[in-house]
DNA sequence: ATAGAAGTTCAAGTGAGCTTGAGATCAAGG
DNA sequence: CCTTGATCTCAAGCTCACTTGAACTTCTAT
C-alpha cells in the first residue's frame, strides 16, 4: 500500500471527481504534496478529510463553512478520532434543527396547506433560522411578519 | 378587499420578491392577468400557490419539480383544499426519507467519523437516493461502490 | 400638472460548486 | 523509442434561482 495517492487513485477511492479534488485544493480544503513532475500526491489522510467534506455537504454546509471547520484541525499531526469528533460534535445540533424544520413542514403539508391558514400572513410553519445566509437573495422567508427591506 | 393584487402587493403579502414573481411567471409556476397598461394583476389564489412553492423549496424540490406538481392542479377552477392535499400527500414520504438520511448522518457523525470506518470504501452512511438528479455534476456520492462512468 | 413611486421588458450579472476544453507534459509498458 | 493514458494549468462554461440595471411607461397624490 503506497503512502501517497495520485489524484486518480484518490478520486477512485473517495468517489470525488479529480476536477473536484483540484477545486478543493484550490479552496484550501485539502492539500497535496507534489511529485518532482508537478503531479499531486495526496497523503492517505486526505480520504478521511474528503469523507468529512461529503458528509458535511449532505448535512447542508457550504464549502466555506466546511473549510472553516477543517481549519480547526491540528495541522502538524494527523488528526485523531478525538479531533474529528470534536469537530463534528456541534453539527449534531444543526442536524436536529433541520430535522425539526422538516417535521414542521410535514405537519404543514398535511394540515395547513389544506386548511386555508396558508394564507401566508399568519402561517409560521416555514421559517428561516436555518440557512440564514440566504436572507439576501432568494425568496424572502416569512419570519413572523418581519422581512428584509 | 381587492380581488386582484399588483405585483408589489403580492410581493409584500407572500414575502417573495417582485423579481422572483416575474421569474416564476416566466417559468409558468404562476400566472397573471394583465391590466390594460400591461401591469400584472395576480388573483388572490396566487398567494396559496406561492406558499406551496416556498414550502416545497424548503423541502428540497427544484422549481422544475414544483412546476410539474403544480401542473397537476385543476386549471379551470380555484383548487380546493382537497386538491392541495392530494398534491402534497406524496411529499410526506420525501420528507421522511430526508429525515431518515439526516438521522443516519447524525449517527455517522458521532460514531463513524471517530472510529475509522470512514475510510470511504465500506461506509454506507452517506448515500444518494435523495437528490438523484445531482448524480451528474458535483461530487460523486458513494453508493456502495457503484459510481458513474 | 407634475413629482415620484411603482410597473414594464430585456439583457446581463451573481454565487455556489463544479466541469470541460485546449494545449502541454509526464509516466509506464512493449 | 514510441504510444497510451494520466496529469498539469488556465480559462471558460454550466446549472439553479434569482437579482440588478437600463431605459421607459403608468399610476397616484398633491
Amino acid at each position: 500500500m503506497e503512502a501517497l495517492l495520485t489524484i486518480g487513485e484518490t478520486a477512485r477511492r473517495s468517489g470525488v471527481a479529480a476536477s473536484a479534488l483540484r477545486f478543493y485544493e484550490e479552496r484550501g480544503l485539502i492539500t497535496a504534496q507534489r511529485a518532482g513532475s508537478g503531479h499531486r500526491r495526496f497523503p492517505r489522510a486526505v480520504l478521511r478529510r474528503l469523507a468529512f467534506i461529503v458528509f458535511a455537504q449532505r448535512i447542508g454546509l457550504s464549502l466555506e463553512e466546511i473549510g472553516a471547520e477543517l481549519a480547526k484541525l491540528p495541522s502538524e499531526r494527523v488528526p485523531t478520532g478525538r479531533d474529528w469528533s470534536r469537530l463534528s460534535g456541534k453539527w449534531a445540533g444543526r442536524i436536529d434543527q433541520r430535522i425539526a424544520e422538516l417535521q414542521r413542514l410535514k405537519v404543514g403539508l398535511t394540515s395547513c396547506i389544506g386548511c386555508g391558514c396558508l394564507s401566508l400572513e399568519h402561517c409560521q410553519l416555514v421559517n428561516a433560522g436555518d440557512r440564514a445566509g440566504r436572507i439576501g437573495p432568494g425568496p424572502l422567508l416569512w419570519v413572523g411578519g418581519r422581512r428584509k427591506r
Side-chain angles (χ1 to χ4, degrees), chain A residues 62-123:
Chain A
S62 66
L63 287 186
E64 193 173 328
E65 291 173 297
I66 296 170
E69 290 297 315
L70 285 174
K72 296 175 188 161
L73 283 175
S75 56
E76 281 318 307
R77 56 183 170 78
V78 172
T80 65
R82 284 177 59 86
D83 291 321
W84 285 111
S85 47
R86 192 149 27 78
L87 261 211
S88 54
K90 52 180 293 197
W91 296 5
R94 186 141 175 177
I95 297 182
D96 287 337
Q97 273 176 33
R98 180 64 181 143
I99 288 178
E101 190 198 356
L102 286 171
Q103 272 157 355
R104 268 183 289 119
L105 286 168
K106 192 180 166 186
V107 170
L109 217 43
T110 53
S111 62
C112 198
I113 285 234
C115 85
C117 79
L118 249 190
S119 51
L120 294 191
E121 253 117 17
H122 311 298
C123 190

Side-chain angles (χ1 to χ4, degrees), chain A residues 131-141 148:
Chain A
R131 287 188 171 267
R134 283 203 71 202
I135 282 295
L140 311 177
L141 305 172
K148 85 156 186 185

